[in-house]
């Protein structure tokens, strides 16, 4: 008889992805690389959207399957626009994975606080610009850290000009990821689109994420955690892959099923009350539109199979 462990979902259960195209941001490292690898091995054509194409090429060479590397710096809206302007074909799957955590106080090229600018605003702009081409779903990687700090979006100081708390600011950026998914799904539904917005989090996975923290003490602490507590990056990629390939309702949130959602097999998980507030999600959307100069497009893929303004044909569903 199969054990409980054997029955749990893993990467061997990814359905055939032949003929599908996926863009994975931050695919050169950590769970992004593992997700890209698994999708390519299942037959998808995977675009590595990375800020350093040389490292992207090196990572893509480790993957068996159809891959391509394109430059994308989420901390620079001109790079996001350039990436989107170069896109001209149907896109089954957009995986908003890239992120920075607890980094020293810095600004993006457009002057946004780095964690909010990269993790939320960069992906917000990218999604709006690519959405006319998306035919299946958008998966955004959030974190259990969406519960960190004071669990609210500080609309009065989004760029954190007051005292900088790297941990709280990271938590806010991951809360923004979940609110983004909530409002994106609402807009997709309202516009009659069959495209879905989903969220995932990897639990605690040993990756490069923990090595850029502003504080040396935090880096040392997380190094120990990576060694003794974390699951590996392959396991960390499973919630993303589950959200990307399984039949789930829009706005679902997938994470590991173990104690404290730190590790384990992918399952549907809960989110904080702050991450479930539709009014805050709408307000964040409006503010993000103003900050990025991008908006929810008119030409999303509809259930009726309409063509987008760019002439992208919806796939049959
Ligand atoms: N690991 C965990 O325990 C954990 C837990 C919860 C959530 N997460 C989330 O999981 C996601 C992936 O993180 P990871 O753990 O796999 O960390 P990782 O190994 O450090 O990967 C992060 C990726 O994001 C890329 N990136 C950072 N800034 C970027 C920018 N401005 N433009 C484009 N790409 C950028 C990095 O590129 P470079 O290689 O060039 O830096 C790297 O490819 C993040 O969203 C993170 O918040 C991770």
């Amino acid at each position: 008889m199969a054990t409980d462990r054997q029955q749990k979902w893993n990467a061997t259960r990814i359905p055939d992805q032949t003929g599908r195209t996926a863009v994975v941001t931050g695919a050169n490292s950590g769970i992004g690389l593992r997700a890209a690898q698994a999708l390519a091995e299942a037959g998808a054509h995977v675009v590595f959207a990375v800020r350093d194409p040389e490292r992207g090429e090196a990572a893509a060479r480790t993957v068996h399957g159809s891959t391509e590397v394109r430059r994308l710096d989420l901390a620079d809206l001109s790079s996001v626009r350039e990436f989107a302007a170069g896109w001209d074909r149907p896109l089954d799957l957009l995986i908003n994975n890239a992120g920075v955590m607890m980094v020293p106080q810095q600004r993006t090229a457009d002057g946004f606080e780095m964690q909010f600018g990269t993790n939320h605003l960069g992906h917000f702009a990218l999604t709006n610009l690519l959405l006319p081409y998306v035919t299946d779903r958008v998966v955004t990687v959030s974190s259990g850290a969406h519960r960190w700090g004071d669990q609210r979006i500080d609309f009065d100081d989004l760029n954190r000009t007051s005292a900088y708390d790297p941990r709280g600011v990271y938590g806010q950026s991951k809360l923004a990821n979940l609110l983004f998914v909530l409002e994106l799904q609402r807009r997709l539904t309202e516009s009659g689109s069959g495209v879905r917005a989903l969220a995932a989090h990897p639990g605690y996975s040993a990756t490069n994420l923990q090595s850029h923290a502003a504080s040396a003490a935090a880096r040392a602490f997380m190094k120990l955690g990576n060694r003794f507590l974390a699951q590996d990056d392959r396991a960390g990629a499973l919630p993303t892959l589950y959200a990307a390939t399984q039949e789930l309702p829009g706005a679902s949130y997938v994470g590991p099923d173990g104690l404290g959602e730190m590790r384990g097999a992918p399952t549907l998980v809960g989110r904080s009350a702050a991450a479930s507030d539709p009014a805050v999600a709408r307000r964040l959307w409006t503010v993000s539109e103003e900050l990025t100069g991008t908006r929810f497009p008119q030409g999303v893929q509809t259930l009726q199979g309409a063509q987008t303004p760019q002439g992208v044909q919806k796939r049959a569903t």
Side-chain angles (χ1 to χ4, degrees), residues 14-72:
I14 296 173
D16 185 11
Q17 300 291 301
T18 305
R20 283 165 62 85
T21 299
V23 166
V24 182
T25 68
N28 62 292
S29 171
I31 63 169
L33 173 56
R34 296 310 183 189
Q37 186 172 40
L39 290 168
E41 284 173 5
H45 175 68
V46 182
V47 178
F48 284 47
V50 297
R51 60 177 162 180
D52 180 342
E54 233 173 80
R55 281 191 290 128
E57 294 286 357
R61 279 196 293 275
T62 68
V63 169
H64 300 291
S66 176
T67 60
E68 179 187 340
V69 175
R70 294 193 186 197
R71 185 172 180 280
L72 170 71

Side-chain angles (χ1 to χ4, degrees), residues 25-33 49-52 55 72-76 96-101 114 118-119 123 141-145 170 174 177 200-212 226 230 233:
T25 68
N28 62 292
S29 171
I31 63 169
L33 173 56
V50 297
R51 60 177 162 180
D52 180 342
R55 281 191 290 128
L72 170 71
D73 184 353
L74 290 157
D76 181 351
N96 291 327
N97 160 79
V100 287
M101 179 175 76
M114 183 60 77
T118 304
N119 300 356
H123 283 126
V141 180
S142 179
S143 169
Y170 177 68
K174 293 285 128 181
N177 286 150
H201 83 85
Y204 183 5
S205 303
T207 65
N208 289 327
L209 191 73
Q210 297 83 4
S211 57
H212 305 298
N226 277 10
D233 49 9

Side-chain angles (χ1 to χ4, degrees), residues 1-9 13 257 265:
M1 206 172 92
T3 65
D4 186 41
R5 194 77 217 155
Q6 285 166 328
Q7 286 167 355
K8 288 191 171 177
W9 197 87
R13 301 214 196 162
D257 66 356

Side-chain angles (χ1 to χ4, degrees), residues 131 184-193 195-197 296:
L131 210 48
L184 176 59
Q185 182 57 53
R186 191 193 68 74
R187 285 171 180 255
L188 286 165
T189 304
E190 187 183 65
S191 65
S193 174
V195 172
R196 274 168 287 182
F296 185 79

